[in-house]
DNA sequence: TTGCGTGCAAAGGTTTTGCATGGCA
DNA sequence: TGCCATGCAAAACCTTTGCACGCAA
């Protein structure tokens, strides 16, 4: 069984309202603090673990030296059928619903004997906005 | 400039001889210890950082709670042009050279405005061997 | 001799765990 | 009242850093 608590409710609401962002544990704690509902990091980690396990939240580990990022994807099963692009420069996460990419899984399975878990697979790279900025800075 | 030391030589040889494996810092230290050339973790990290930067070794961060994995890919530039599949169950890394997948980058760039860095992108999933084992165990 | 590489220990940061307390049902 | 959730602190872990020493060139 599971109880509903104020912390759990606010944490989930915060993640949900920022579902286009990648959020760190630190940011959650800061927000909760400012929102007048301070929360211990242990609680945040425990809640996030549960949400990840339940499939509401996705966990991303980028380089391992900074903390992990979390993102609300909801119980929308569509998020498990498409891929995600993550911009290394700005951290933006892009949900990619695309016919060609949807064929990748079956292609890899049939031709390469590998069952891709697209919910765990993230394309890393750079979005056009960040690329423009970088090119401008190089001049 | 750079000196050649015994530790550096053995570390690189170990990675090279196990280029089909994903290796942790712990495993490197243990091996060096058993091989009669004990090495400090700091040295291992420093060497690995350099090798990653030079492009000889790839670094993988899976879940963030266990340590990062490293794998020798050599100075073969082909490894930067294709994708990699990593089996979550056995850790095997598969180099995937495939026409369809080579089109992914240009497709994503042209249609979705995103420049994929395939050297940083890994498809996670399960290889057929591990899938068979798992299915057998479920019966 | 020069200065890079190494080893040790300490520090830094993130994440987990134990235990008593608080709060939902 | 039962039991889960929380908070705090401590612990565990991985990784980085500082500094003195060793060793390659």
């Amino acid at each position: 069984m599971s109880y509903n608590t104020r912390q759990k409710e606010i944490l989930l609401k915060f993640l949900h309202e920022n579902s286009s962002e990648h959020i760190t544990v630190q940011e959650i704690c800061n927000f909760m603090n400012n929102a007048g509902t301070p929360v211990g990091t242990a609680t945040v980690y425990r809640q996030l673990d549960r949400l990840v396990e339940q499939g509401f939240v996705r966990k991303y580990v980028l380089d391992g030296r900074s903390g992990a990022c979390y993102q609300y994807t909801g119980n929308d099963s569509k998020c498990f059928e498409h891929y995600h692009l993550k911009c290394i420069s700005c951290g933006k996460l892009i949900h990619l619903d695309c016919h060609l990419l949807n064929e990748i899984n079956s292609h890899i399975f049939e031709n390469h004997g590998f069952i891709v878990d697209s919910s765990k697979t993230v394309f890393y790279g750079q979005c056009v906005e960040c690329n423009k900025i970088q090119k401008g800075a190089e001049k």
Side-chain angles (χ1 to χ4, degrees), chain A:
Chain A
M1 286 300 97
S2 134
Y3 295 161
N4 287 327
T5 63
R6 185 161 173 69
Q7 290 91 336
K8 190 187 295 189
E9 186 190 339
I10 295 181
L11 191 156
L12 193 56
K13 191 178 171 213
F14 177 58
L15 284 171
H16 185 259
E17 286 176 350
N18 293 279
S19 58
S20 64
E21 305 285 331
H22 65 305
I23 299 178
T24 65
V25 170
Q26 270 307 314
E27 288 167 344
I28 292 173
C29 288
N30 290 342
F31 171 80
M32 301 284 281
N33 219 346
N34 295 334
T37 315
V39 91
T41 55
T43 300
V44 174
Y45 279 108
R46 283 189 273 237
Q47 285 297 341
L48 286 173
D49 280 350
R50 172 180 298 192
L51 288 167
V52 168
E53 196 180 349
Q54 291 174 337
F56 291 103
V57 167
R58 204 74 70 77
K59 179 183 180 182
Y60 298 100
V61 179
L62 292 185
D63 59 356
R65 63 190 86 180
S66 52
C69 295
Y70 295 84
Q71 182 163 37
Y72 183 86
T73 51
N75 54 4
D76 184 355
S77 60
K78 282 168 69 179
C79 264
F80 290 89
E81 293 167 2
H82 64 233
Y83 283 99
H84 292 85
L85 312 176
K86 188 156 192 81
C87 177
I88 294 171
S89 301
C90 68
K92 185 168 61 186
L93 191 78
I94 302 166
H95 300 246
L96 190 56
D97 225 338
C98 170
H99 184 59
L100 174 64
L101 290 170
N102 287 342
E103 290 176 359
I104 291 177
N105 282 13
S106 53
H107 171 85
I108 291 181
F109 176 65
E110 287 165 13
N111 295 274
H112 306 286
F114 192 90
I115 301 146
V116 172
D117 183 345
S118 47
S119 78
K120 290 197 171 59
T121 299
V122 180
F123 287 84
Y124 291 102
Q126 198 172 43
C127 65
V128 280
E129 290 81 9
C130 287
N131 190 250
K132 281 177 189 167
I133 293 169
Q134 187 180 310
K135 281 188 175 171
E138 280 173 359
K139 282 177 184 173

